[in-house]
Structure formats: C-alpha cells, structure tokens
C-alpha cells in the first residue's frame, strides 16, 4: 500500500514511516512514503519463493559515534550486493533511522531495478523476544536505491541501557533479505482473469478496500444498498447511500478497478483522512451505524440488524442463594482473543468461561448481601452473517506500547457453534436454529502495529474457489493460501545445506487473519441471493451508464489525440469578460476561451470555415494572430498569420507555432467592426503598424477593465491617440489622462509611466504590448485613494493575500480572516492581528505556520521577527509554489521577545506528607540555574517546614536517573521526554554517616505471561538511606512507614535486589548493604531495591511531556 503524499514530521512518537532515506531539512520529505508493511507492488507479483539471507551487524562504541550515518559491510543476496544504512542519532528525527541500501547503485547500468522483501531489526540483547523487527518490500531502482524506516524506534528507548538494546555500548542490527523474481503485471486484467475488479487505493485506504469488497460480496447486503432511496438530484459526494450504490454498481459492471474518492467524500473526509490508516473494525462499525441510520423509514429498514445482529446474555448467579441477575445485549461483531488460544473454538470457550466471584471479590446480591457467585456470558442467538474480529493487537505493559500478536491461530472452513450440546448457548436460545457456519471471507493484516497493509480472501459464491482482493488486483487463490497461510505463527525456511546438521531458520509470519466473516448454512440461499440490474434504480443506471459513456468518449479522445490539434481562440469579448474579474495581468486565460478540436491534416482554411459557422464571422473578415511567450514570462499576441501559413495544414501550423509539441495552438482572432458593429475586412498591416491593447483603471472603485485595442504608427506619439482613449473610457473630452506600460509581473511587478510626448518606437512599444491608463490625479486627490495609480494597484493585486487565522487552542476552526500583503513584514502582520483582536501590544501575539500535509500547526512557532515577510510565513517548508493561507495565533501573557529569552520547564512537585502531585510551569531566563528553579518553586508550593530544602530529579520510566546539581544551567534540560520531579530532601539524608548508603528504591511487577526475569517498573521511585549491617526486616519497617502501607497489604509484598533488570529476592535476615557495591557501576539507577507488588494505583491524570499537536485520529464519518 503506497501513500503518495508525505506525512508530517510532527507525528506521534511511535508512528513509523517507510521511506527512501533522504537527509532532509526542516519539514516533511517530498518523496513517496509507505506504511509499515506493504502489499505486493501493484505491477509485480511474486512467482517463486525468494532466496533469503540473514546478516548480523555488531556496532561497538555506539553511543560515542559522532558520524551522522554509517554503512555496514557489503553482503550478497540473490546475486546482488546489499548493505545496511543507519543514522545512530536519527535522520533529523528523534528516532533511530534504518534502511537497506543497494551497495553498488552508482555503478549499475541505467534502468536497473531489483525487488526484495526484507526485515530490519534492533536486537534486544537481554531478552530476544523484545527484539524490534519491522519488515517491508520494495522495488529498488536508480531513484530509490535505499528503503526503510526513518522512525524505526525512539532514541530514548534505544539509549536506555535497562531496555536491552544497548549492552556494553554495543548495538546489534539484523537484516533478513529475500530477493524475488518478478513478472511485469502491467498488462494483468483482473476482470478477464477472475471476473471481478479491484478498488483503487487513495493512499492508505487498503483497510477500507478490503472491508468494502467483503460487504459487496454479501449479495443480500448489496441488494439492500441498491434499494436505499436516492434521487437523480443527489450528488454521490454528498450522499453515502448514492456513493455506495455507485461504487457497488461499478464493481458489478465495470471492466477496470474502481475509485473510492466519491465514497470517502461522502464520509466528509478530506485528502489527509485518506492518508491516515485506520482500523477495519472501527470503520466497519461506523459505516454500518451510518447505513442503519440512513435506512430508517425506508423499505430496507432493519437490514443491518437482520444480517449482522446477534444477542448474548450477561449473567451473575449466586451459588448459595437463589438469586440470578441477567442482562441481554446485542452485538454486530465479536472480538475474540488470539493470545493464549489455538483456534476459534478455544476463543469461544474463553468467551463463555465462568468467573468465580468469591473472597474479596464477592457479589453484592440484592436483598442477600455479599455472596459467592459465578459470572459469565452465553449466547441467545447468532446472526446470519457472523463477523469475528480477532484481537491481533494488545497493550504490552513491559514496553508501554501496543504490540501485534502474530501467534498461530487456526480457523475452520466450517464453524459449528452448537458443539458440545450447545455449550455456548443460553437456556433461552432457540435450539431449533442450526448454528453451523461456512467461511465467506478472511481479512488479512500484513505488517506491524503502527502500519501495514490489508487485503481480503473471499469466496463470492461460497464455492471451493477463493479470490484475493488486494486493492486494484484480484487473483485466484487456493484454499491453503486463504486459510492455513493466514493462521500466523512461525515458518521454517528450507535448509540450504541439507547435508549439514544446522538448525533450521524460523521466522515470524507478519501476515495473518484479522477478521473472519462466516455465513450460516441455513441462511445461505437467502444471503447469497441473485442481484441484477432490476435491483438498481433507473436513475442510477442512467447516471452511471452516462458516466461510463463519457469515460469511454474521453478514452477514445485520448487514444485519437495524436490525430487532432486543439485550437484555442481568444477574442476581444474574452478580454472584456476576464480582465479585472478573473485576471489582472496579461490579457486572457486560454483555458476559458473557445476551443476547437480539428484534425491535423485538414487545411487551416477549413478551420476558418468552422469558426465562421460557430462564431458567425465570415472568413474574409477573420485575421488570426499567433501568441508568443516573451523572455520576461508574459504571453502576448506576436504577429498575424501569413497567407502562406494559412495555406498549410493545421498540424504543420501548430508545429511552427509551438516548439513544445503539445496538442494546442493558441490564436487571437482580430475582427474589425464598423460603426454599425458589423464586421469589416482587416486593415492593411505594415511594419510601421503596432497593435496595442488598453486597460482602464479607476482608483476610486479600485477597478481595472479592458478598454479596447488600437493600431498605432511606430513613429506616432501617444498624444495623437488621447482623444480616442478618452472616448473609449467615456471621459469628458478635456480629461487629462496618464499612461503606463504593463511590462511584467514575475517575479515582481514592473509597470512604468509612458512619456506622451515621445514616439511609441522610442518608448520601445511593439505588437501585443499593454498600456494601462487612468485620469490624472492632483496631489491632493491622490491622498484620498489607497492605490492612486496603476503601478500601486497592480502591486497590491500581485501581493494581496487573504489569510485565515485560527486560535492555536482550536486549530480546526477558522476564527477570522484578514486581507494582507505578501510583502508585509513580521511587524505589519502582528500589528494587523493585534488590531483585529483589540490588543494594545502586538508583541504579545505569537504566530505558528500551517503544515499543508498534516493540516495541523507546525510544531514550532514563528520566532519574533524570525521571518522577513508574510510570504515566508505561508511558505510550506520552502517548497514553492506550495503555500498555505492559514496562520495560527496565540495571545501570550508577556511579550514574545521576552518569552524567547526564557526557558519554561514543567516540574512535578511531590509533597512530603500529602499524597498529592502538582504540576508547575517554571519560566526563567535561559541562563538560570537549577537553584533558581528551586527558589522560584519554593514561592509556589506548600512546604512541610519553612526551612525545607528541595532538590530536582530526572525521572524516566519510573526510575530516577539524575539529581540535578544546583549550579547546572537550565537551558539544556529537556522536559519533553523526561519528567522533572521536585521534592523535599528528607532529614535523614542530610546527616549521612560514613557507612550509610543512599540507594534507589523502585516498585515493580512481573507479567505472568512474559519472561519471568523481565520486570516492569511502575509508580513513584524514591531514595532510601540504609545503614551498614541493617537487616532487611528493619529496612522493610521503614519502607512501610514511609509509604503508609497497611500491614495486610504489605505482607504480600516481596523485596528484591535488582541489578540490570535481574531480581534476587531477599530474606528478612539478609543484610541489605552487602548487596550494594561501593564502586560506581554504569548507571546507578540499574542497581536498586525492588518492591514487588501489584500495580493497583489509578493512572495519573497529568502528563508532563505531551507533544504539541500530536493525536491519533479516530475513524469518523461526518455526513
């Protein structure tokens, strides 16, 4: 799945991008970007299993490397040379950047390409199961000779030694590369090969395509969509029912892949939504809810419920008294556990598993008090179409992130939910209904947790033949590919040297089933009904057939384009209509004039007859001029056609006039009109005659219009034509006028005053030149107008810009708009904004530019006078001509220049005696020290004693990494990823004896499903003083008192000495100080006293390091 637009760099920390490596400057990369696990490229299809090679690269002294990028040694796979490219400090992002590179790309012949499927990994050297591995595939070529992940993993995770990716300052990278032979499938015809067509991918809409194909191939659903009432006046882009009807009709009758843009527009999505990969299950639910709502009050009301709705019963039944509580609930799909379940039946067993409520967890039964009880779920009925969502994504507490579960998970072709005498059914279930299901479709997710590719295996008629619907391409597949190969799990590569006793190489399969659709056998005939044209509304058939005919017509025109020339004819009427309304510079927009499609071999005179017929101007009164693009980028009529040129064919003439070899010929049609406005023969044109065009400017109305055209003599003077110009302007005969020549407007406007006393030739005027004129203004009257003369007006028009301002707090809503000039300075812009907001001090306005790709504010605001002009504020990462018309503003409490000299830190203050944490923003000059932060904080917080001393700590992942020295400058302190914690220094720490030790104490727990050695820290870490020879029993008493834990609870806690993540449990008689070495180890935080107990505390409601403007967009259908 290929995204054809770059995403923003200010994306979420763990969002990954697959990109050809580029060392980019600020902003997104103007390059192709794909999500974390792609599909087979549309033009390529694998034809045999690839030879695979695994390369391991050990990099020592990793944190001390000062090189920006590093290449591995070269290795061979499939006869090709490869190497790994790494950016140890990130490719201008705060993530490790990792790519596969074609090692000899610079010496390969022109047009080379090779196709590889590969994975890149950073090995976890403590626990291999936490190795981070990402895989993709790519067609390497001269333009994209490397490919990989700019945001492979966060640098904070990589450089944290406790995480296991950097051990003894050594990093281990693995690359597994499989080179595939490919066949060119440009000519592949899905309809011809399979009878079905695919859906085009808009960027990241493969998840939607797989779902739409699944729903389309449920004929009863398709028929219901066709029967939703729509009218011929509806527009697909504004009506979900009509857009879906149109899409389904095209899937049914089109010969080529179908676009989904109308449908996503009907959802209210913009382009950016189409480049956001979402969740199939979420889209399925939202779409079905929308359709259910749109079907209300129509002949198909209730279809969604009828097809997909089932019911289950939640119950709690007391064991010792006669009391039972039940609640009936409906479902449209079921979420089944994958982890710990071998197949669908095991998941259903787990779904209905009975939970015992006893001990501390007894049930409060009405009128019976606390009772032992059993709690569970049983199904009242299942729907005709059963949608099973497999929980492939889960939260990993160890890594504090979502992970994908790639475990093997089997699903049957036939699913019997009446098994074991109906063990899944409630007592109220209708046992006459046979709940035997057959598999209809398998939706597959290929990739990792942060991205990937979706496609679907479907049996459209429930026959033995499966089809793979992968965006635009549909292929026939066998049952093994659709079922067994989508179970997930691991797969062994075949032995390369069978004679040797080497261990077979296993790799995890990242492509696996994510959603299953089953159809009940007893409802099969009704669900798999026939859908034909009579089910489709007449207006829809007519509309879509007309669309198809227009498409065919355009296709035919395109195929025959080389036989025709498009002639665009501009006339006086076009100039009068456009100048001052649509255009202000030059004379005409050629895309909005009359065009003729003429066969190239026809003589030009035949075209003149066509013009006579169409425009009513006899051939003898027509004179055509060729246009020319001048060196100053203006486009003007240049010369009339010669008689010998008019005798040529249209094709020959087009080649003479247009060196660019496009299919257009642009002409100006000169027609002279008599006093009665009837056409006359064109006047004789000599070298002395110059054709000039005139525009009239009115400073009072700030309006420009086309006044007409005149032939003048080269040696004549403007004074000779003044009466004619005054007449054309309908001014009084004695009116004084000023003349200006419009010379150019790129890159700047050039419009110069014309001396009326010298000849046109002396003023260097020639055919096609433009003269703008206006009334002469007195010095006094000039002051009345904003733009008193033609040059100032044209300058204004060239640089005017309407800017939409939005409050940074509400970045999606326009607040107000101002018309400004692109030449405005920084001060001009903030003054206008402050004036509009009624703010006296413009320096309290801070502006932020707009990111055109993400449709969000850029991560960094504009510095005070950090740009020269408004045009710089609106430029999109210096990529002209792309600019924005949006700016975000915020009103500061102090002037921006003053704020820029300050550093703001968010500090979490932990009260010494109360269980409360308060977040304080400390704003101080950048050259301040930690001591200044503490002094400022003392004035804001409540201390336990007036003479209490404070310290500032750096806390990360529930560990204390640093106590900041009082003299440390705050300018370099980063509070974006680390929590800054302030606390009072306990008295016992101030009076340490010579043999006392200050140790770290952290809370931890272990996930029973994970490796037993792996610990997960949580809660608030703290320091503790331990005395020499002090036994654990005494230390425990002090810990219990400090944390105020009840005896009953504290008795369950275990205490361990933990070094580098490995716990060693202690007995009450153990001397604690013996475990803590005197010598410094690398990172004092890696040796600590661990308190093992369950994490029952609620998550804190505050976050000190929220990134600006980063959020995940849920699926929304707005209409």
């Amino acid at each position: 799945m290929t995204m054809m637009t770059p995403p923003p760099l200010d994306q979420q920390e763990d969002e990954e991008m697959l990109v050809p490596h580029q060392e980019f400057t600020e902003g997104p990369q103007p390059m192709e970007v794909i999500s974390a696990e792609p599909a087979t490229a549309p033009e390529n299809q694998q034809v045999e299993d690839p030879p695979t090679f695994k390369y391991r690269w050990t990099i020592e002294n990793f944190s001390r490397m000062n090189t920006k990028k590093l290449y591995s040694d070269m290795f061979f796979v499939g006869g090709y040379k490869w190497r790994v490219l790494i950016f140890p400090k990130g490719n201008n992002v705060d993530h490790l950047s990792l790519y596969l590179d074609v090692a000899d790309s610079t010496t390969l012949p022109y047009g080379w390409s090779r196709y590889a499927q590969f994975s890149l990994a950073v090995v976890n050297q403590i626990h291999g199961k936490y190795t981070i591995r990402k895989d993709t595939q790519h067609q390497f070529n001269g333009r994209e000779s490397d490919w990989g992940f700019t945001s492979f993993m966060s640098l904070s995770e990589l450089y944290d030694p406790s995480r296991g990716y950097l051990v003894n300052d050594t990093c281990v990278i693995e690359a597994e590369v499989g080179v595939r032979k490919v066949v060119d499938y440009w000519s592949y015809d899905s309809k011809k090969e399979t009878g079905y067509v695919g859906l085009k991918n808009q960027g990241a809409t493969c998840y939607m395509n797989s779902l739409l194909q699944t729903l389309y191939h449920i004929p009863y659903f398709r028929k219901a969509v066709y029967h939703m009432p729509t009218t011929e006046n509806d527009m697909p882009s504004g009506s979900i029912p009509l857009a879906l009807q149109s899409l389904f009709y095209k899937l049914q009758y089109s010969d080529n892949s179908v676009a989904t843009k109308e449908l996503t527009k009907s959802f209210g999505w913009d382009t950016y939504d189409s480049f956001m990969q979402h969740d199939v299950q979420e889209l399925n639910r939202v779409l079905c809810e929308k359709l259910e709502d749109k079907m209300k009050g129509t002949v198909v009301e209730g279809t969604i419920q009828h097809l997909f709705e089932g019911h289950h019963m939640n119950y709690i039944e007391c064991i010792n008294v006669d009391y039972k509580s039940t609640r009936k609930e409906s479902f449209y799909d079921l979420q089944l556990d994958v982890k710990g379940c071998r197949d669908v039946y095991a998941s259903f067993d787990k779904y209905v598993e009975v939970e015992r409520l006893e001990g501390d967890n007894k049930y409060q039964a009405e009128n019976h008090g606390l009772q032992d009880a059993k709690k569970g779920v049983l199904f009242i009925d299942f729907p005709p179409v059963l949608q099973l969502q497999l929980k492939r994504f889960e939260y990993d507490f160890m890594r504090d992130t979502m992970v994908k579960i790639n475990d093997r998970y089997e699903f049957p072709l036939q699913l019997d939910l009446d098994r074991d005498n109906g063990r899944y059914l409630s007592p109220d279930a209708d046992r006459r209904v046979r709940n035997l299901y057959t598999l209809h479709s398998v939706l597959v997710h290929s990739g990792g947790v942060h991205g990937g590719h979706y496609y679907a295996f479907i049996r459209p008629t429930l026959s033995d033949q499966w089809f793979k619907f992968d965006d635009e391409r549909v292929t026939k597949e066998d049952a093994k590919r659709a079922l067994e190969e989508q179970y997930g799990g691991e797969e062994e590569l075949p032995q390369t040297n069978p004679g040797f006793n080497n261990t077979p190489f296993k790799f995890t399969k990242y492509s696996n089933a994510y959603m299953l659709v089953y159809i009940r056998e007893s409802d099969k005939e009704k669900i798999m009904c026939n859908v034909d044209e009579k089910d489709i509304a007449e207006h829809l058939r007519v509309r879509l057939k007309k669309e198809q005919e227009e498409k065919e017509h355009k296709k035919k025109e395109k195929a025959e384009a080389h036989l025709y020339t498009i002639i665009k004819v501009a006339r006086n009427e076009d100039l009068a209509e456009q100048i001052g309304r649509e255009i202000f510079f030059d004379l005409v927009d050629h895309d909005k004039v009359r065009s003729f499609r003429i066969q190239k071999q026809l003589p030009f005179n035949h075209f003149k007859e066509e013009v006579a017929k169409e425009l009513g101007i006899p051939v003898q009164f027509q004179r055509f001029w060729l246009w020319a693009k001048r060196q100053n980028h203006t486009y003007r009529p240049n010369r009339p056609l010669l008689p010998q040129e008019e005798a040529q064919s249209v094709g020959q003439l087009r080649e003479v006039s247009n060196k660019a070899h496009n299919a257009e010929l642009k002409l100006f049609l000169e027609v002279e009109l008599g006093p009665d406005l009837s056409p006359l023969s064109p006047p004789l044109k000599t070298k002395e005659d110059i054709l000039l065009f005139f525009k009239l400017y009115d400073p009072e109305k700030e309006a420009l219009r086309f006044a007409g055209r005149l032939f003048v003599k080269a040696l004549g003077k403007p004074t000779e034509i003044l009466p004619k110009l005054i007449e054309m302007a309908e001014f009084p005969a004695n009116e004084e006028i000023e003349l200006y020549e419009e010379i150019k407007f790129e890159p700047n406007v050039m419009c110069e005053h014309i001396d009326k006393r010298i000849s046109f030739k002396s003023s260097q005027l020639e055919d096609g030149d433009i003269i703008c004129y206006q009334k002469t203004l007195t010095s006094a009257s000039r002051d009345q107008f904003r733009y008193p003369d033609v040059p100032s007006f044209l300058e204004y028009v060239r640089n005017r810009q309407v800017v939409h301002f939005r409050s940074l707090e509400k970045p999606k809503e326009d607040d107000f708009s101002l018309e400004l000039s692109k030449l405005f300075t920084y001060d001009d812009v903030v003054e206008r904004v402050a004036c509009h907001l009624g703010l006296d001090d413009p320096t309290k306005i801070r502006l932020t530019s707009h990111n055109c790709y993400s449709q969000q504010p850029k991560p960094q605001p504009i510095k005070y006078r950090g740009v020269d002009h408004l045009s710089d504020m609106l430029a999109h990462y210096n990529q002209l001509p792309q600019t924005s018309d949006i700016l975000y503003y915020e009103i500061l409490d102090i002037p921006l220049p003053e704020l820029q000299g300050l550093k703001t830190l968010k500090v979490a203050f932990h009260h010494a005696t109360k269980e409360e944490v308060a977040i304080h923003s400390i704003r101080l000059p950048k050259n301040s020290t930690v001591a200044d932060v503490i002094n400022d904080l003392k004035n804001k917080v409540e201390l336990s004693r007036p003479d209490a001393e404070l310290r500032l700590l750096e806390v990360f992942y529930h560990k204390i990494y640093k106590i900041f020295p009082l003299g440390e400058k705050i300018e370099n302190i980063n509070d974006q990823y680390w929590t800054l914690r302030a606390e009072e220094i306990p008295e016992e720490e101030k009076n340490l004896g010579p043999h006392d030790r200050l140790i770290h104490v952290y809370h931890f727990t272990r996930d029973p499903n994970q490796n037993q050695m792996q610990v997960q820290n949580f809660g608030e870490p703290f320091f503790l003083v331990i005395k020499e020879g002090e036994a654990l029993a005494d230390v425990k008493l002090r810990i219990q008192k400090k944390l105020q834990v009840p005896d009953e609870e504290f008795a369950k806690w275990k205490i361990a000495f933990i070094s580098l993540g490995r716990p060693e449990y202690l007995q009450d008689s153990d001397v604690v100080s013996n475990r803590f070495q005197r010598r410094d180890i690398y990172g004092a935080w890696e040796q600590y006293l661990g308190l093992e107990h369950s994490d029952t505390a609620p998550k804190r409601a505050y976050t000190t390091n929220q990134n600006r403007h980063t959020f995940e967009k849920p699926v929304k259908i707005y209409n």
Side-chain angles (χ1 to χ4, degrees), residues 488-502:
E490 290 187 328
E491 190 171 305
E492 275 189 20
L493 281 177
Q495 293 260 6
T496 49
N497 297 308
F500 292 90
N501 186 23
N502 49 358

Side-chain angles (χ1 to χ4, degrees), residues 607-653:
F607 161 70
K608 292 179 76 172
E609 289 168 12
E610 193 76 19
V611 170
K613 190 164 60 176
E614 288 285 322
L615 302 179
I617 301 164
V619 170
Q620 66 270 27
F621 301 142
Q622 301 173 16
R623 178 156 65 190
F624 288 94
W625 289 66
L626 290 170
W627 292 78
K629 187 167 187 175
R630 298 180 175 181
Q631 285 186 333
N632 64 8
H633 304 295
T634 57
Y635 204 59
R636 308 284 176 80
N638 184 40
R639 63 174 179 84
L641 285 176
L642 303 172
Q644 58 267 37
E645 288 175 326
E646 293 196 358
Q648 294 178 332
S649 71
V650 168
Q652 288 171 314
L653 186 58

Side-chain angles (χ1 to χ4, degrees), residues 8 33 238 313 560 850 1000 1058:
V33 176
M313 176 186 78
E560 296 176 349
H850 178 69
H1000 294 240
I1058 299 181

Side-chain angles (χ1 to χ4, degrees), residues 24-91:
F24 45 86
T25 54
E26 181 197 3
Q29 312 146 68
M31 60 176 78
E32 185 175 63
V33 176
I34 70 173
S35 282
E37 172 71 13
T40 311
E43 71 274 16
N44 298 314
Q45 177 89 345
Q46 70 184 70
V47 293
E48 59 181 59
D49 288 333
T52 303
F53 177 80
K54 194 168 186 179
Y55 174 74
R56 191 175 177 94
W57 181 21
T58 302
I59 309 170
E60 296 177 347
N61 301 319
F62 191 83
S63 64
R64 292 198 286 278
M65 283 193 298
N66 56 11
T67 178
K68 184 173 184 185
K69 62 181 179 180
L70 189 68
Y71 288 99
S72 72
D73 291 339
M74 193 170 60
F75 56 92
F76 286 84
V77 188
Y80 299 130
K81 298 176 182 176
W82 305 90
R83 59 185 176 178
V84 177
L85 166 61
I86 187 171
F87 286 71
K89 300 292 190 293
N91 186 2

